[in-house]
């Protein structure tokens, strides 16, 4: 058969995009390289970056092609007009190609330069491999890169690239940016050639192989006559390799010979050859050898092009021999031996064709892959400049350029096109750059056009049918089909291409039939025809009117254009296989037909395919098939006519019947013959729609996956995840097949019901390990977004991208990236609160450092509560403070002002400590701006004198001395505001904020940044520069900040810098350094933080000595502070390690007990390595100065044995039990001992009054009881000591209690501490009712007020530590009272005000978003912060450094949690059920919280559940671990850095909009708005004239549902046009359906209900009217599946609490359908005629049309088999037994699926006594 002629689709003139990119970059090429460039077009699938372009148009878009543009040393990688990457190398590029190297699957870009190979991966990683300069070319193989070497003129001059360290010299891997200059280094290896080893001899091979970027290139071997030798034939020049198959072709110029080589792996053999590089250890032990499988001589030049294509799934290598103008083919065959595929030449496939150019293209079978390769056709340019398409040996068609090429160009030069004289002048002179179905064609006008070979039809139906035939037919039959399809019977015509393509396909089969039903040859249209007549006669009009005009009869013109090929079709060769072709094509096309039935939008295609299938079935005599199609489309009977064949026929597969049986009997009981064969075939993409549905039903009804298939043989992809039921497995299958809600809506309603049921049943509580796609499918975007965020920085992110997730949720469009306002940024809802409201303020908008505290979290947490405003007012230090004086001041009044201002200034000076805690981690800063520190204003203002400002008088007091440390604290507070960033604070930014002269402000900022961990970015030179400034507060801040940033790391460089400030570390020969004691104390604690928990022995020995060593400074008063710092440091280094079996721990304990003043034996281990400085120990005689050393020793022991429950140490730290012992111990040391004892015996602490009283010795209790009694004067001293001891013991116990329950918000601990604080407050000055009679009265007489005040404020601090972050109102009121009381009574003390400020900050820690932890490190930091020695003034650092009060930051955790509505993206309230594990205080406990809230510690947290009726439940399971809380951005954080996404149920408002729940009465609201007819008659009359307001309905529905389809439907229901319509029943049904959808949160119900309802309505309409739009009976099948689903739910086959659709509704549909069928009067007559004649009437008039449609409904509804099957059953019954009464029982046995009603009718027709028809 002569090939047909087809037109090329010209996409435009071709120009490499690299040239456009160069012009855009404004980088003109050098003059030397202006015209020298290369480009490579390739399929993006090669690099795994295939664009997700669906549709046939995408095949012809250049967006699907990627390009590498190479000029000089630059490469530009583009996709369309988008530049993906740019590469710039150090020298000119010889060649670049893509290759698969190493174990990874991704392709790498290999770039060859002189002496170097540079390899890039797609993410920008680069590897440089040095090569011999003789490597001239590179070629990709499937497993590596082949390097071609050239022979050198002088072999002795060969210099190998050997090195003593080959691993380092041969490669260098660096991370590079995508765009930028990438210059690999040059490698020089001047090694003498006489040192060449055997290993270097491997590079003498003519071909090298590089199998991994990190491997050395290895030699290749050649197999000749069974021997293996190194390949050294430099004349064998490689001209082509395959990156898919291990093949290489070469040309030997001397022998004029082409060769084909097969590359194979061989096992390494050490004795194989003397030149083997056996000493090299390689990742790949196998070697590569080449075996020559074909050779041919006679070509004077190498083939100009070699490529690979396929012929009937056989790989074929094609050689284009330019001198002979011939394309030569060599066929290959494969043999599999020991799981290895060996290639050889297939002798019978070798042919040639004349050609001057050729290329492989993908045209005929674009979606088919057979064997090792996808199907590749060949496009050939003949010497006569004709373009032919070949599929193997078969020439399919000839391609020509369009006749009007100039007009068809989209982007071409129209002016030049007009100058062309016509298409006959355009001669194709060359073709190149073939990618998929596109090629470049050169024409004789020096132009290059990009053209597409239109292989795949535009018609989706024709495309599906051709692809199904390609997959289903054997190759010989398919080649026959191709020759018919591409033959000369088809030619391009103007008009509806889609319709013409379908007609061409039909002509192939109708031409074989030789008996087309109607032959209507097209006549040329005359020009006199009017436009209207042209429209009326168009095929579009006929197609449209057939489905929409109500005319169901199909005129003979409907098959216009379906004509036979002509006489050539009947040639003998074709007729020989025609019947086999038709029979197998019927099976393939029937599979497409059954698949199209599952798609609601393909009904028109389905009808067209049914017409074709009827013709094929009639030709083959397949009566059952014919009957099957006519039942679906009864109108086809008139077109097809009667089938006269009497041959036996097969039963056609029926997908609806299989689905129905699956629902009724389960998957394992179904008949697999009902499934088309293509559905069970691997890799068949054409009927994948039906295959997916079959697989979903299979797993839903009991089938289990076995590998990639189900046990029934149907392929199925499952998403990863656990499942406990069939429903969950079905959802994983849907997720694995990417079958989303959009696809679900395309299914017939009945078919979708079981799948929707599975989704609905799993929506409540799906497993926690599912992928995000599965959650979106369920409508649980809240859980999907949590998974999505966790994967956002991993490689799996690409698999579950945002696009995929949204595509699963269409058409419901529930977006997965809502606009979420970060909780650390201020919002508009809080902006009105950012200014401090103060009517007396001069400037109310002053920056106070707390502007950002109002955010989404705090707005929900505190709502309209103004407590945050009050905290902000109390902690503001940036505005002058109000001073109340008389209006006319005198001199004495001015002195009073100064005194009052001095007292208030001390309070203002400590406010930054509380503000730092309050604003901890609440803002993000811009690293391009200077960091602002709020002012510290110590002035006052006089409201009585028009807000006059009063400053402190510098003549009275040293103001600068007062402000040094307060300024430091102020800057620390400012630095602590910075929240942890995903990026780091840069070193440049810190230096940018560095002042010219050192000051306390920058010192504080450094400390604040260090506490947040930001000082990692400073290098040693920066640290040195800071230290050389010799500024005291800067050094303190930097040391402590560095230690906090490098906490627990023991970083040597930082340790050296810190030890520099500890003189005891110097050797004895060093001179004394004058280092202030303040710096030494800070250095000691910094060392402790740096070495925390390490138990580093040398450091511990040093620190132990420092506790008892005199400080190097002159200030003796600071000795206690130095000793305490050493004690804290020693405790930190050995934190909790006292219980470890350390041999030297006894030595430390004994020495520390000596420092306590305990009478112990001499230490077991005498210090042997102490120098002469030991003489400086603070000793008096043989004992230490206990007043100095005891606090540090107690603290050290407490931290060393923290939580160890050590009875030994507990007993050593005894509390005085007698009056004599009491005199030997200072009262404040007793407090420290109580704290230490309780920290050691951690588990014994109880939040009860009895426990606190148990801490008090009996003799103290007895003495306190008798305070009110008259006592002798001799006992007064003892009484004072008793009361002092009592107060300190109680305070110590309260501090212990605060540490034990830090951050827990324990109610018992809060009440207990609150009661004790009130008790002490009342003892100082009665202010409130007594909390009880349990506390002794009158102790204030015997103890000084300062001690009572200090104990009171320590208890208050402990109380705020317990309630940290809670913002508890009761505690806050207490703190506010204490602050105001002190200032009013004149008792302002710097230390007590510091305690109040800190307590306020702790109570609102981080704005309520942070709290304290109770792990060992956190407890140590809290103990340092709460150390019970409060400073007396702003410069008091004697006993405890003020900077240490900020170390609480290292004890904080961001355990806050907020819930965000996944639909709106806004934070919402949601109830949580929190489960904590069993502890020694309580059993496993569940309690409720409302988000936003703070969670318990990780050590006890077991489970978090989102509960309550308004949100979908969600559960987070945790494993309690003794670990810190997850840090910000931690991938393992189950809470996504403090966020849980929730999804609100439809029918409920959020708790913000509806706190009580009164708005969620959905039914009442619905009835009120819609005015349903369920109201009584009077209401109906009253509402009959009321117009429904669509706005109110829209508002109501949108309140309860975010689904746009429901909102649109509600507006439609309330449209005014409906009031004039008569179908009020349908309107009421719609309103009830809308109510059901919204109340049950099932938007998909809307489509299902309406579809099923209108199905019955249209059936009733057929009965009522003579003409109807209904022309098929497909809806009956869907309705039957829906009823089968109803039975499955009621029988328990589908587990659920209730059906997805109301079962009463489905049952009523079935009843109504039977009523309609029984109502027809002519039905039984038509049924009798149909059964007896075994044929459909085909000459009926329009009057009978309605009866025929009803007959088809009846046959499908009652599952009546084909008449031939019924006839066979009747004959079988009559032959076996002679009966004259009834055949119903036997018919029931033979026809088990047929309904009893239909069997009765069959019995009445064939077995009735009056039956007279002869069978």
């Amino acid at each position: 058969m002569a090939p047909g002629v087809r037109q090329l689709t010209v996409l435009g003139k071709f120009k490499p995009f690299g040239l456009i990119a160069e012009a855009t970059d404004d980088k003109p090429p050098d003059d030397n390289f202006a015209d020298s460039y290369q480009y490579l077009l390739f399929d993006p699938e090669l690099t795994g970056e295939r664009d997700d372009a669906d549709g046939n148009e995408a095949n012809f878009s250049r967006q699907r092609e990627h390009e590498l543009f190479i000029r000089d040393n630059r490469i530009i990688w583009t996709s369309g007009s988008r530049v993906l990457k740019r590469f710039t190398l150090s020298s000119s590029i010889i060649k670049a190609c893509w290759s698969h190297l190493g174990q990874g699957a991704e392709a790498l870009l290999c770039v060859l330069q002189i002496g170097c190979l540079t390899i890039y991966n797609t993410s920008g990683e680069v590897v440089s491999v040095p090569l011999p300069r003789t490597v001239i070319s590179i070629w990709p193989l499937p497993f590596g890169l082949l390097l071609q070497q050239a022979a050198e003129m002088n072999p002795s001059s060969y210099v190998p690239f050997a090195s003593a360290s080959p691993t380092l010299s041969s490669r260098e891997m660096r991370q590079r940016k995508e765009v930028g200059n990438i210059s690999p280094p040059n490698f020089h290896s001047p090694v003498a050639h006489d040192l060449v080893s055997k290993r270097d001899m491997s590079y003498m091979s003519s071909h090298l192989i590089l199998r991994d970027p990190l491997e050395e290139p290895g030699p290749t071997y050649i197999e000749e006559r069974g021997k293996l030798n190194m390949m050294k034939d430099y004349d064998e020049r490689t001209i082509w390799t395959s990156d898919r198959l291990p093949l290489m072709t070469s040309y030997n110029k001397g022998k004029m010979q082409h060769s084909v080589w097969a590359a194979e792996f061989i096992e390494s053999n050490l004795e194989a050859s003397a030149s083997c590089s056996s000493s090299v250890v390689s990742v790949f032990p196998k070697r590569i050898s080449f075996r020559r499988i074909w050779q041919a001589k006679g070509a004077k030049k190498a083939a100009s092009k070699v490529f690979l294509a396929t012929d009937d799934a056989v790989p074929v290598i094609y050689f284009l021999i330019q001198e002979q103008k011939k394309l030569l083919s060599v066929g290959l065959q494969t043999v599999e031996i020991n799981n290895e595929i060996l290639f050889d030449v297939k002798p019978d496939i070798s042919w040639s064709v004349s050609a001057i150019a050729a290329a492989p293209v993908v045209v005929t079978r674009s979606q088919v892959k057979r064997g090792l390769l996808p199907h590749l056709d060949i496009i050939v340019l003949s010497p006569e400049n004709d373009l032919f398409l070949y599929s193997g040996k078969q020439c399919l068609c000839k391609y020509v350029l369009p006749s009007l090429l100039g007009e068809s160009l989209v982007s071409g030069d129209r002016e030049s096109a007009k100058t062309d004289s016509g298409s006959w002048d355009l001669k194709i002179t060359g073709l190149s750059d073939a990618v998929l179905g596109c090629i470049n064609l050169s024409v004789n006008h020096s132009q290059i056009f990009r053209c597409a070979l239109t292989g795949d039809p535009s018609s989706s139906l024709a495309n599906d049918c051709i692809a199904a035939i390609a997959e289903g037919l054997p190759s010989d039959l398919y080649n026959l089909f191709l020759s018919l399809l591409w033959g000369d019977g088809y030619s391009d015509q103007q008009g509806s291409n889609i319709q013409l393509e379908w007609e061409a396909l039909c002509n192939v089969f109708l031409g074989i039939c030789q008996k087309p039903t109607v032959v209507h040859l097209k006549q040329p249209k005359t020009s006199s025809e009017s436009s209207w007549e042209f429209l009326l006669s168009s095929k579009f009009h006929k197609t449209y009117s057939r489905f929409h005009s109500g005319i169901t009869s199909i005129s003979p013109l409907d098959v216009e254009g379906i004509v036979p090929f002509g006489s050539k079709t009947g040639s003998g060769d074709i007729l020989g296989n025609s019947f086999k072709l038709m029979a197998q094509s019927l099976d393939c096309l029937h599979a497409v037909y059954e698949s199209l039935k599952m798609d609601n939008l393909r009904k028109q295609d389905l009808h067209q395919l049914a017409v074709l299938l009827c013709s094929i079935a009639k030709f083959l005599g397949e009566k059952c098939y014919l009957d099957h199609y006519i039942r679906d489309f009864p109108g086809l009977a008139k077109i097809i006519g009667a089938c006269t064949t009497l041959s036996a026929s097969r039963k056609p597969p029926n997908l609806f019947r299989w689905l129905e049986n699956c629902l009724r009997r389960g998957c394992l009981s179904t008949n697999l013959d009902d499934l088309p064969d293509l559905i069970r075939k691997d890799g068949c993409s054409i009927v994948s729609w039906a295959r997916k549905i079959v697989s979903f039903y299979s797993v839903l009804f009991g089938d289990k996956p076995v590998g990639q298939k189900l046990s029934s043989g149907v392929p199925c992809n499952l998403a990863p995840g656990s499942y406990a039921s069939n429903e969950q497995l079905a959802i994983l299958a849907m997720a694995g097949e990417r079958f989303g809600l959009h696809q679900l809506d395309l299914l017939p309603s009945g078919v979708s019901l079981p799948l929707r049921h599975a989704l609905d049943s799993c929506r409540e509580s799906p497993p926690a390990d599912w992928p995000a796609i599965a959650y979106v499918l369920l409508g649980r975007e809240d859980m999907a977004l949590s998974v999505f965020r966790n994967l956002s920085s991993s490689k799996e992110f690409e698999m579950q991208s945002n696009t995929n997730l949204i595509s699963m949720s269409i058409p419901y469009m529930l977006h997965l990236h809502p606009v979420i306002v970060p909780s650390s940024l201020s919002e508009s809802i809080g902006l009105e609160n950012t200014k401090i409201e103060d009517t007396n303020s001069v400037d109310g908008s002053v920056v106070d450092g707390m502007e950002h505290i109002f955010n989404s979290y705090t707005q929900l947490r505190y709502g309209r509560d103004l407590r945050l405003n009050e905290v902000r007012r109390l902690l503001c230090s940036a505005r002058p403070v109000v001073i109340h004086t008389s209006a006319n001041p005198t001199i004495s009044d001015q002195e009073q002002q100064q005194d009052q201002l001095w007292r208030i200034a001390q309070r203002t000076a400590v406010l930054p400590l509380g503000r730092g805690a309050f604003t901890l981690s609440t803002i993000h800063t811009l690293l391009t701006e200077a960091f602002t520190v709020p002012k510290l204003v110590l002035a006052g203002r006089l409201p009585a004198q028009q807000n006059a400002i009063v400053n402190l008088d510098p003549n009275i007091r040293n103001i600068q001395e007062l402000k040094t440390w307060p300024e430091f604290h102020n800057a620390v507070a400012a630095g602590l505001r910075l929240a942890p960033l995903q990026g780091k604070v840069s070193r440049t930014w810190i230096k940018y904020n560095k002042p010219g002269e050192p000051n306390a402000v920058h010192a504080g900022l450094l400390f604040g940044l260090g506490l947040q961990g930001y000082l990692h970015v400073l290098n040693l030179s920066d640290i040195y520069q800071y230290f050389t400034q010799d500024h005291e507060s800067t050094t303190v801040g930097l040391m402590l900040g560095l230690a906090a940033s490098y906490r627990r790391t023991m970083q040597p460089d930082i340790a050296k810098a810190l030890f520099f400030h500890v003189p005891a570390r110097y050797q004895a020969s060093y001179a004394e350094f004058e280092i202030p004691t303040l710096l030494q104390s800070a250095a000691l604690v910094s060392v402790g933080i740096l070495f925390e928990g390490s138990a580093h022995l040398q450091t511990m020995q040093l620190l132990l000595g420092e506790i008892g060593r005199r400080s190097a400074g002159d200030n003796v008063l600071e000795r206690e502070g130095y000793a305490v710092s050493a004690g804290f440091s020693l405790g930190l280094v050995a934190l909790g390690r006292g219980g470890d079996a350390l041999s030297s721990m006894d030595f430390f304990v004994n020495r520390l007990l000596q420092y306590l003043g305990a009478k112990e034996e001499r230490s077991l281990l005498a210090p042997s390595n102490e120098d002469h400085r030991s003489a400086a120990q603070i000793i008096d005689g043989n004992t230490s100065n206990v007043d100095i050393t005891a606090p540090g020793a107690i603290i050290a022991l407490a931290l060393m044995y923290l939580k160890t429950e050590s009875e030994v140490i507990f007993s050593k730290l005894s509390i005085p039990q007698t009056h004599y012992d009491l005199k030997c111990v200072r009262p404040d040391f007793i407090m420290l001992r109580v704290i230490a004892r309780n920290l050691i015996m951690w588990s014994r602490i109880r939040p009860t009054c009895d426990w606190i009283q148990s801490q008090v010795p009996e003799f103290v209790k007895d003495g306190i009881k008798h305070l009110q009694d008259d006592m002798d004067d001799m006992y007064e001293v003892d009484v004072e000591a008793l009361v002092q001891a009592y107060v300190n013991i109680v305070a110590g116990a309260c501090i212990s209690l605060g540490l034990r329950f830090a951050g827990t918000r324990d109610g018992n601990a809060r009440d207990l501490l609150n009661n004790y604080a009130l008790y002490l407050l009342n003892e100082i000055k009665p202010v409130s009712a007594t909390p009880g009679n349990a506390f002794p009265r009158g102790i204030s007489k015997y103890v000084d007020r300062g001690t009572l005040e200090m104990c009171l404020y320590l208890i208050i601090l402990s109380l705020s530590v317990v309630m940290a972050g809670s913002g508890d109102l009761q505690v806050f009121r207490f703190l506010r009272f204490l602050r105001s009381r002190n200032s009013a009574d004149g008792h302002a003390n710097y230390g007590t005000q510091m305690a109040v400020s800190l307590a306020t900050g702790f109570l609102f820690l981080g704005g309520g978003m942070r709290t304290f932890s109770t792990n060992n490190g956190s407890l140590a930091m809290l103990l340092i912060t709460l150390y019970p020695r409060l400073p007396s003034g702003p410069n008091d650092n004697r006993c405890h450094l003020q900077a240490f009060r900020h170390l609480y930051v290292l004890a904080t955790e961001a355990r806050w949690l907020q819930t965000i509505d996944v639909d709106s993206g806004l934070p919402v309230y949601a109830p949580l059920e929190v489960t904590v594990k069993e502890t020694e205080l309580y059993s496993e406990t569940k309690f409720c919280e409302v988000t936003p809230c703070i969670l318990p510690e990780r050590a006890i947290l077991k489970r978090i559940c989102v509960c309550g009726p308004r949100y979908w439940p969600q559960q987070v399971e945790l494993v309690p671990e003794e670990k810190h809380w997850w840090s910000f951005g931690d991938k393992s954080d189950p809470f996504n850095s403090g966020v849980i996404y929730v999804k609100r149920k439809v029918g409920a408002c959020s708790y913000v909009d509806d706190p009580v729940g009164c708005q969620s009465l959905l039914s009442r609201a619905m009835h009120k708005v819609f005015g349903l007819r369920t109201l009584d008659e009077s209401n109906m009359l009253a509402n009959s004239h009321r117009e429904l307001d669509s706005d109110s309905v829209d508002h109501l529905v949108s309140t309860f549902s975010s689904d746009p389809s429901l909102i649109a439907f509600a507006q439609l229901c309330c449209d005014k046009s409906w009031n004039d319509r008569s179908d009020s029943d349908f309107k009421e049904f719609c309103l009830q359906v809308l109510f059901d959808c919204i109340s049950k949160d099932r938007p998909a119900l809307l489509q299902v209900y309406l579809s099923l309802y209108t199905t019955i309505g249209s059936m009733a309409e057929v009965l009522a009217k003579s003409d109807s739009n209904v022309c098929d009976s497909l809806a009956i099948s869907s309705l039957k599946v829906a009823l089968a689903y109803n039975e499955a739910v009621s029988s328990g086959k589908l587990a659920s609490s209730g059906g997805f659709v109301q079962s009463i509704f489905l049952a009523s549909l079935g009843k109504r359908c039977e009523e309609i069928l029984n109502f027809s009067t002519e039905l039984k007559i038509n049924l009798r005629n149909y059964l007896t004649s075994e044929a459909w009437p085909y000459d009926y008039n329009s009057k009978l049309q309605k009866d025929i449609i009803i007959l088809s409904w009846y046959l499908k509804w009652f599952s009546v088999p084909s008449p031939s099957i019924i006839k066979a059953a009747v004959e079988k019954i009559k032959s076996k037994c002679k009966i004259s009464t009834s055949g119903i029982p036997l018919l029931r046995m033979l026809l088990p699926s047929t309904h009893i009603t239909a069997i009765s009718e069959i019995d009445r027709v064939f077995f009735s006594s009056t039956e007279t028809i002869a069978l």
Side-chain angles (χ1 to χ4, degrees), residues 138-158:
I138 53 177
W139 301 91
L141 284 168
F143 43 74
L145 192 68
L146 187 68
L147 312 177
Q148 168 87 53
Q149 290 202 104
E152 288 197 285
M153 298 302 293
N154 184 8
S156 63
S157 65
Y158 171 68

Side-chain angles (χ1 to χ4, degrees), residues 630-676:
I630 296 178
R631 287 191 187 189
D632 288 338
F633 296 97
L636 292 178
K638 184 177 180 182
I639 306 173
I640 302 303
C643 179
T644 56
T645 312
L646 298 177
S647 62
S649 57
R650 299 172 293 156
K651 189 176 179 182
N654 189 337
L655 203 50
F656 270 116
R657 183 167 61 219
W658 186 89
L659 296 176
E660 187 181 347
N661 290 336
C662 193
L663 280 163
R664 295 184 190 279
R665 300 197 292 269
C667 169
L668 302 179
S669 303
T670 54
N671 184 5
L672 293 180
D673 291 338
D674 283 336
L675 295 179

Side-chain angles (χ1 to χ4, degrees), residues 523-686:
Q523 299 297 327
K525 301 295 182 183
T526 60
S527 59
S528 62
E529 185 182 44
S530 69
S531 301
W532 177 249
E533 289 171 342
F534 175 80
L535 282 176
L536 286 180
S537 61
S538 66
K539 283 184 283 300
F540 175 80
H541 171 71
K542 298 178 183 60
T543 305
Y544 184 83
S545 63
R546 183 164 63 223
F547 288 94
H548 299 283
S549 67
I551 303 171
T552 54
S553 62
I554 299 177
S555 66
L557 295 179
D558 282 332
V559 288
E560 175 184 356
I562 302 179
V563 295
F565 261 148
S567 58
K568 289 186 179 180
T569 325
S571 61
D573 293 339
I574 295 179
L575 285 178
N577 287 326
S578 62
F579 192 84
K580 189 186 299 184
L581 171 65
M582 295 291 275
Q584 297 197 23
S585 297
L586 177 65
D587 291 339
C588 299
L589 296 179
H590 183 77
V592 176
Y593 178 81
E594 291 298 315
S595 183
L596 291 181
K597 278 188 184 179
M598 299 292 121
D599 191 341
N600 283 331
L601 299 183
R602 302 289 297 273
K603 189 173 288 188
Q604 183 175 348
D605 287 349
L606 191 67
H607 183 272
Q608 289 182 329
L609 184 56
V611 174
L612 174 62
L613 285 171
C614 282
S615 300
I616 298 177
K618 184 177 179 182
F619 169 73
L620 296 173
E622 297 285 357
K623 280 190 176 183
C624 289
Y625 278 84
L626 197 58
D627 185 73
H628 179 77
Y629 304 131
I630 296 178
R631 287 191 187 189
D632 288 338
F633 296 97
L636 292 178
K638 184 177 180 182
I639 306 173
I640 302 303
C643 179
T644 56
T645 312
L646 298 177
S647 62
S649 57
R650 299 172 293 156
K651 189 176 179 182
N654 189 337
L655 203 50
F656 270 116
R657 183 167 61 219
W658 186 89
L659 296 176
E660 187 181 347
N661 290 336
C662 193
L663 280 163
R664 295 184 190 279
R665 300 197 292 269
C667 169
L668 302 179
S669 303
T670 54
N671 184 5
L672 293 180
D673 291 338
D674 283 336
L675 295 179
D677 291 336
L678 272 184
I679 286 181
R680 287 181 287 171
K681 185 176 180 181
D682 274 336
C684 183
S685 58
I686 302 307

Side-chain angles (χ1 to χ4, degrees), residues 57-125:
E57 292 84 355
N59 293 329
F60 308 138
S61 169
R62 289 204 59 189
Q63 298 293 332
R64 287 190 50 161
E65 300 169 1
H66 285 202
E67 174 188 291
L68 281 183
F69 180 84
I70 305 167
R71 191 198 293 269
D72 190 19
N73 64 333
R74 292 195 302 272
I75 299 178
I76 302 177
W77 178 10
T78 58
S79 170
S81 56
R82 179 167 57 101
V83 175
L84 298 180
K85 290 179 178 63
R86 291 177 173 88
F87 307 99
T88 303
L89 291 94
S90 59
S91 59
S92 297
I93 298 167
I94 300 175
K95 185 176 180 179
C97 69
W98 293 98
S99 179
H100 291 272
L101 295 175
Q103 306 292 343
E106 70 169 342
L108 305 177
L109 178 60
C110 303
V111 183
L112 177 64
Q113 301 161 267
I114 297 177
C116 181
L117 177 70
T118 307
I119 302 171
Y120 301 95
N121 68 4
T122 52
S123 63
E125 248 180 34

Side-chain angles (χ1 to χ4, degrees), residues 7-12 60 399-400 402 408 439 450-454:
Q7 279 192 0
L8 290 161
T9 302
V10 180
L11 303 178
F60 308 138
Y399 276 111
V400 295
S408 65
I439 56 173
R450 192 68 179 166
C451 301
L453 308 172
T454 52

Side-chain angles (χ1 to χ4, degrees), residues 1588 1608-1632 1634 1650 1653:
L1588 293 174
F1609 187 73
Q1611 292 172 338
L1612 177 66
C1613 285
C1614 298
D1615 193 83
K1616 295 178 182 179
S1617 62
W1618 262 29
N1619 294 333
D1620 303 329
R1621 295 174 59 176
S1622 59
D1623 50 352
S1624 57
D1625 288 337
F1626 181 59
K1627 179 178 180 181
E1628 181 179 353
F1629 174 76
C1630 289
L1631 294 177
Q1632 290 174 348
L1634 186 59
L1650 291 179
Y1653 184 90

